[in-house]
Amino acid sequence: MNGIFYSILVSLFTQVSFAQNDIADRENKFYQIISVPIPDSVKLEVGGLAFTDDDKLGVATRRGEIWVIEDPYQQKNRLPKYSLFASGLHEPLWLAQKNGAFYTTQRSELTKISDTNADGLADNFHTVYSWPISGNYHEYSYGPLILPNGNMLVTLNLSWVGRGESLTKWRGWMLQITEDGKMTPFATGMRSPAAFGLNKVGDIFFAENQGDWIGSGRITHLDQGDFAGHPAGLRWSGEPNSPIALKRSSFPDSAGLMFDYAKGKPNFKLPSIWFPHTVMGISTSAIISVNSDKFGPFEGQLLVGDQGHSKIMRAFLEKVNGQYQGACFPFREGFSSGILRMAWGSDNSLFVGMTSRGWASTGKDLYGLQRLKWDGKIPMEIKEMRITKDGFDLEFTKPVDQKMAASVSNYAMTGFTYSYHKKYGSPVINSRKCTIKKATVSSDGKTVKLDINGLREGYIHELKVDNLKSADGEEILHPKAYYTINSFPEGSVHDHHAMNHDNKVEVSGCGEDSQKSVREQPSDWKKGPDIIITMATKPGLKFDKELIEVRPGAKVKLIFNNNDDMLHNLVITTPGKGAEVGKLAMDMGLDGTNAGYIPATNSVLFHTCLIQPETSQTIYFTAPKAGDYPYLCSFPGHSFVMKGIMRVK
């Protein structure tokens, strides 16, 4: 997103990968997605969800409305009843309910909305607390999250000016606000904090998305006075009521690794779990805790939505030496639009509110409301992944096949991390395989103890489980996990000093074949190019030209100006291969950023590198024979709409 907020027309998303469809079908055997009907007259671009005391579902929309849905479970009638409660709000992106009133954030305030005469229509709009805005498009506001003591938390997006910036006071902060309007700055270091929530014991977690200073998506535990990594909000750390002493001026443009840079800095809070970009999602958008066993075997864990990939992920957390860390897992794909909010229904089903207008998602609908219901069957999964002195303990939801689980050849682990710098995002760096020395299966078959060499603090560790089934022959549903190590248990056998970080690893972000990305004019072009094409981006996640024409054999100079607020490339493919190249890019996994999401295939003819926002790159090539040659941005998800045709004739 810039954070979750990609400018894109998602109605044009008509393709999803076959692999995604396959896993969604398998997931559906355990967790069924049920669509809640929406009247044609209602544009339910969900910004927030909240249940009322009488079990009606309130829905805030990005169009400034609040709808109340009676019988959203469809228990009484096939079609739920929709009633417009309020309108004229300024893009509410959250909804909460307390003591009979709705609360939401508008762009510039926290608002309490009441129906004082009980006629079903809002008649009182009370400003609980307000903050200044500059008018920058990226100044979204979120909340309130209502705490057990009744106080409320809101978060404020940074502005975007080619980088995340705090143009007005408290942008990039989480604020605590009381019912009577008293505000206390709570924490900062945020860029696009669209998601935050409480775990089962009441601790606060917020989700962040890839951007400047943010190598990949992540969730972080926050206490009052914490700093979460993005320095722009520190502009206000000198205010009298600020709980943070860090200064923005102390941050260089490139700070190496976040884990190393945070050492010795009070309240610099490391991410609890990293969600590797494009592998586990691209835009974390909602956090909700599983607080009972009525939704399957994952009580006490967090569910984390992803707007861009229209899916839900699962997070297992544990405390090691007093700080949270843990693993993330895939959970459920296949939602109809971009997930933004989630709320528990009284029947223990999970309501999922979605929107995609202007924001990228693989789900093709512009908006939607769906319900995720557990059918009572237990899937074969890695339930928990706990760090030990020697490696990890994997607890499964079902007893495993003892022989398969005891074979070390069925496990693989790779450690990697991201750069901590002012640039937008980061490639995977310092990747190194770990050695699985031993796999020991418990007597009940539900736990496998892995002894592992090569684990590193401050690194994400990808676990792949291959050829492993339950004792009754069921395949594991999701065979990958990603564990973030912030601290080893006391008495750990891991050799910290032998695992030195390599901060000098360079990656090109530009594919494997330099002949497809020639960035200097060829020496034999004595008269220069025959044609100069200048390409840029425009709102809607599009190139500013959908058709370019050249003649066969023409010497082409192509200048690509990335004037957008996210990473892009420009890839020219052979005729009819644009969609194929886009899918190959989506499937590149952890290797994608290092290669600039340029697949190693003959279907790619010419390309730029994956380039930063507000930068440009020039490439030179000789036009091929006559035909229509698709071009696209192959960054995962972008290729569905960011495309065009180079016509050679």
Side-chain angles (χ1 to χ4, degrees):
M1 319 192 266
N2 192 20
I4 63 171
F5 302 102
Y6 285 174
S7 298
I8 183 169
L9 298 177
V10 179
S11 61
L12 297 178
F13 273 37
T14 58
Q15 305 168 63
V16 293
S17 91
F18 296 127
Q20 288 176 314
N21 287 340
D22 177 66
I23 188 63
D25 288 343
R26 293 178 61 203
E27 292 165 343
N28 192 57
K29 297 176 182 178
F30 307 97
Y31 290 91
Q32 183 182 6
I33 296 174
I34 304 166
S35 293
V36 179
I38 302 171
D40 291 342
S41 60
V42 179
K43 307 301 182 185
L44 204 72
E45 298 177 342
V46 179
L49 297 175
F51 275 93
T52 64
D53 294 334
D54 56 355
D55 208 23
K56 297 175 182 177
L57 179 59
V59 183
T61 78
R62 296 170 52 214
R63 293 172 177 259
E65 302 166 336
I66 296 177
W67 291 86
V68 174
I69 305 175
E70 185 176 342
D71 188 28
Y73 312 95
Q74 300 169 260
Q75 295 172 339
K76 301 175 183 177
N77 298 290
R78 184 175 63 85
L79 298 176
K81 180 182 177 182
Y82 283 69
S83 300
L84 183 62
F85 179 75
S87 60
L89 302 171
H90 191 175
E91 198 163 21
L93 293 174
W94 199 286
L95 194 65
Q97 199 269 353
K98 182 174 70 166
N99 298 329
F102 284 116
Y103 292 76
T104 190
T105 47
Q106 301 186 68
R107 282 284 180 124
S108 63
E109 69 171 60
L110 170 60
T111 312
K112 178 181 180 181
I113 306 171
S114 307
D115 173 15
T116 60
N117 61 4
D119 66 352
L121 297 173
D123 53 27
N124 186 281
F125 296 79
H126 171 66
T127 299
V128 180
Y129 184 79
S130 63
W131 46 83
I133 56 175
S134 72
N136 185 278
Y137 85 96
H138 202 248
E139 290 182 340
Y140 302 102
S141 303
Y142 314 102
L145 174 66
I146 298 176
L147 300 174
N149 63 5
N151 290 344
M152 295 170 281
L153 295 177
V154 302
T155 57
L156 308 182
N157 247 39
L158 292 177
S159 311
W160 182 260
V161 291
R163 64 186 183 282
E165 194 54 80
S166 186
L167 299 181
T168 57
K169 187 177 283 189
W170 307 124
R171 284 280 156 193
W173 284 72
M174 177 180 282
L175 310 178
Q176 184 171 204
I177 302 170
T178 63
E179 181 69 32
D180 59 1
K182 295 179 181 178
M183 188 279 288
T184 304
F186 189 85
T188 191
M190 304 167 197
R191 192 190 71 88
S192 185
F196 50 111
L198 304 175
N199 67 359
K200 187 175 181 180
V201 299
D203 289 332
I204 300 162
F205 289 82
F206 98 100
E208 189 59 274
N209 298 278
Q210 187 188 68
D212 54 321
W213 292 102
I214 315 293
S216 184
R218 62 206 195 196
I219 61 172
T220 305
H221 169 236
L222 289 180
D223 288 313
Q224 187 165 3
D226 279 344
F227 170 75
H230 197 295
L234 294 175
R235 176 180 179 183
W236 315 107
S237 65
E239 293 293 310
N241 52 348
S242 166
I244 296 171
L246 283 172
K247 301 299 180 185
R248 183 177 180 181
S249 58
S250 66
F251 286 76
D253 287 351
S254 182
L257 303 183
M258 190 179 186
F259 179 84
D260 294 335
Y261 191 74
K263 291 178 180 178
K265 296 178 177 62
N267 302 106
F268 193 129
K269 188 62 71 71
L270 294 169
S272 305
I273 298 177
W274 288 89
F275 289 73
H277 197 68
T278 74
V279 176
M280 286 295 293
I282 59 173
S283 48
T284 46
S285 59
I287 296 176
I288 198 164
S289 179
V290 182
N291 289 339
S292 80
D293 61 0
K294 305 298 184 182
F295 195 73
F298 307 113
E299 183 176 358
Q301 300 187 25
L302 297 178
L303 299 179
V304 180
D306 191 85
Q307 200 275 338
H309 280 184
S310 302
K311 68 182 182 182
I312 297 174
M313 302 163 287
R314 176 168 61 90
F316 164 76
L317 290 148
E318 60 178 336
K319 275 190 173 180
V320 179
N321 298 325
Q323 60 180 326
Y324 278 109
Q325 60 187 43
C328 60
F329 309 83
F331 183 69
R332 187 62 168 96
E333 296 185 2
F335 290 90
S336 64
S337 188
I339 295 173
L340 189 59
R341 297 289 171 242
M342 300 187 291
W344 288 113
S346 60
D347 67 344
N348 299 299
S349 65
L350 182 66
F351 282 80
V352 180
M354 296 166 286
T355 175
S356 287
R357 174 178 57 88
W359 305 341
S361 77
T362 55
K364 61 180 174 52
D365 292 347
L366 286 175
Y367 53 84
L369 180 63
Q370 294 182 306
R371 197 158 57 98
L372 190 64
K373 189 172 181 63
W374 180 46
D375 71 354
K377 300 175 184 175
I378 302 291
M380 175 58 178
E381 294 274 42
I382 304 171
K383 179 183 177 182
E384 298 179 357
M385 183 176 180
R386 296 183 177 274
I387 196 167
T388 69
K389 296 177 182 180
D390 306 298
F392 290 102
D393 280 352
L394 307 180
E395 181 182 339
F396 292 85
T397 55
K398 297 180 177 182
V400 296
D401 180 294
Q402 296 263 351
K403 184 176 179 180
M404 288 180 171
S407 174
V408 295
S409 64
N410 290 334
Y411 307 91
M413 179 164 281
T414 301
F416 63 95
T417 190
Y418 298 102
S419 294
Y420 183 46
H421 55 205
K422 187 177 180 179
K423 291 181 180 180
Y424 194 103
S426 168
V428 166
I429 64 170
N430 299 354
S431 178
R432 189 161 65 206
K433 294 187 180 299
C434 303
T435 301
I436 312 295
K437 297 190 301 179
K438 186 179 181 182
T440 305
V441 186
S442 63
S443 58
D444 64 1
K446 295 190 73 172
T447 302
V448 178
K449 176 181 175 58
L450 296 180
D451 290 359
I452 304 173
N453 277 348
L455 302 179
R456 289 175 284 178
E457 282 185 325
Y459 279 68
I460 307 105
H461 293 77
E462 177 190 63
L463 172 69
K464 292 182 179 180
V465 179
D466 188 33
N467 194 32
L468 181 60
K469 296 180 180 180
S470 68
D472 59 5
E474 182 182 346
E475 291 186 0
I476 187 169
L477 184 57
H478 297 108
K480 288 186 181 180
Y482 296 85
Y483 190 102
T484 299
I485 300 179
N486 289 324
S487 182
F488 286 124
E490 292 185 10
S492 170
V493 300
H494 302 290
D495 188 346
H496 300 241
H497 300 290
M499 301 302 166
N500 292 327
H501 308 306
D502 179 3
N503 294 329
K504 297 181 180 180
V505 172
E506 298 290 341
V507 294
S508 68
C510 208
E512 297 180 358
D513 188 348
S514 61
Q515 296 304 307
K516 295 181 178 182
S517 186
V518 177
R519 281 164 270 166
E520 293 185 4
Q521 181 174 300
S523 58
D524 59 351
W525 289 19
K526 302 301 183 185
K527 295 183 179 180
D530 297 320
I531 182 172
I532 298 175
I533 299 170
T534 300
M535 187 77 72
T537 62
K538 66 179 184 180
L541 199 66
K542 290 182 175 294
F543 294 115
D544 66 345
K545 297 178 181 66
E546 295 183 1
L547 176 67
I548 55 178
E549 295 183 340
V550 300
R551 60 175 175 80
K555 297 177 176 64
V556 181
K557 175 181 179 180
L558 189 151
I559 305 166
F560 176 40
N561 296 314
N562 181 11
N563 48 306
D564 207 350
D565 56 8
M566 64 196 79
L567 300 167
H568 290 305
N569 60 26
L570 191 153
V571 180
I572 301 173
T573 78
T574 55
K577 296 297 184 179
E580 176 186 294
V581 169
K583 181 185 181 302
L584 288 172
M586 284 195 74
D587 294 341
M588 291 179 75
L590 292 177
D591 297 327
T593 50
N594 294 5
Y597 294 102
I598 313 294
T601 170
N602 291 333
S603 296
V604 171
L605 290 180
F606 317 109
H607 61 82
T608 69
C609 302
L610 186 67
I611 63 175
Q612 290 283 318
E614 309 292 335
T615 63
S616 66
Q617 189 174 94
T618 300
I619 60 172
Y620 300 83
F621 60 89
T622 300
K625 65 182 182 180
D628 284 351
Y629 295 80
Y631 59 83
L632 63 139
C633 173
S634 65
F635 190 93
H638 294 191
S639 63
F640 293 111
V641 293
M642 196 170 180
K643 57 188 178 181
I645 293 292
M646 181 179 74
R647 180 160 295 154
V648 183
K649 65 177 185 177

